[in-house]
Amino acid sequence: MSSASTGCVAFKAACPDCRARFELDAAALRLVIGGSRRTTFYSFTCPRCGASVRKPAGERIVELLTGGGVSTLRSV
């Protein structure tokens, strides 16, 4: 996570399909917090190839994403 001069938070990410590396703002990410580690993840669409990417989110990732303003959904 890095802070831009405008005060916006940018998150570093990578696409497993096209292997591109890029930065995304909070609006481009979604966080789902489930009842277990298996159901807690973040997702985004790769800006280069358009693939839907879903990655597991541990405690530290959840802290960083929620602290950076990423939209969060809690699943039951």
Side-chain angles (χ1 to χ4, degrees):
M1 179 169 74
S2 63
S3 207
S5 60
T6 60
C8 295
V9 177
F11 297 94
K12 291 183 179 182
C15 177
D17 288 358
C18 72
R19 300 186 183 202
R21 295 186 178 277
F22 40 82
E23 289 189 349
L24 299 170
D25 63 17
L29 294 156
R30 297 289 176 263
L31 174 63
V32 176
I33 300 176
S36 71
R37 285 183 163 182
R38 297 183 85 195
T39 57
T40 300
F41 62 91
Y42 66 99
S43 63
F44 58 89
T45 300
C46 176
R48 179 171 289 167
C49 72
S52 292
V53 179
R54 177 176 160 162
K55 295 188 175 188
E59 284 184 40
R60 181 70 179 137
I61 298 295
V62 169
E63 288 176 21
L64 290 171
L65 294 177
T66 55
V70 172
S71 175
T72 304
L73 174 68
R74 294 193 183 271
S75 66
V76 185

